[in-house]
Amino acid sequence: MTTTEVIKKVIELQELEDMLHELNAEIDSIKDSLKQALNEQHSEELIVGTHVIRYTTVISNRFNSTEFKKVMPEVYKAYLKPVTSKRFTVA
């Protein structure tokens, strides 16, 4: 790929990422308005036409690795596993 082609691809990538950011902001805005509608009705579920909208409280248990590391640092270190990955960035 020539330098010119790479530059064009980078510009295209940046434009698409900008569009994605704008779409995600719009999606979040619509979700927030639907959540607000549910909150105003004091409901966790709303049936509209063929759609069911739910905004429910979910409780999950997660392991607090930060606290575990403070309390038992040697055990924490014994179970660390190195992971290799690749990161792609354009600046």
Side-chain angles (χ1 to χ4, degrees), residues 62-71 76:
R62 301 203 177 175
F63 186 74
N64 186 343
S65 61
T66 304
E67 190 63 28
F68 184 75
K69 185 176 11 176
K70 289 178 188 175
V71 175
Y76 176 81

Side-chain angles (χ1 to χ4, degrees), residues 2-76:
T2 67
T3 302
T4 305
E5 291 172 329
V6 171
I7 291 170
K8 285 181 182 178
K9 286 291 183 188
V10 168
I11 291 170
E12 181 182 4
L13 176 63
Q14 289 173 333
E15 289 172 352
L16 289 171
E17 286 178 339
D18 289 344
M19 289 171 51
L20 179 61
H21 179 70
E22 291 173 17
L23 284 172
N24 281 331
E26 191 172 338
I27 288 169
D28 289 342
S29 175
I30 292 170
K31 286 181 179 181
D32 288 343
S33 66
L34 292 170
K35 291 174 190 177
Q36 183 178 354
L38 285 165
N39 285 333
E40 288 171 358
Q41 295 185 17
H42 304 289
S43 176
E44 288 189 341
E45 181 176 282
L46 181 62
I47 300 172
V48 286
T50 59
H51 304 282
V52 179
I53 303 166
R54 291 187 183 92
Y55 185 45
T56 58
T57 302
V58 177
I59 298 172
S60 59
N61 294 311
R62 301 203 177 175
F63 186 74
N64 186 343
S65 61
T66 304
E67 190 63 28
F68 184 75
K69 185 176 11 176
K70 289 178 188 175
V71 175
M72 303 185 81
E74 293 306 316
V75 175
Y76 176 81

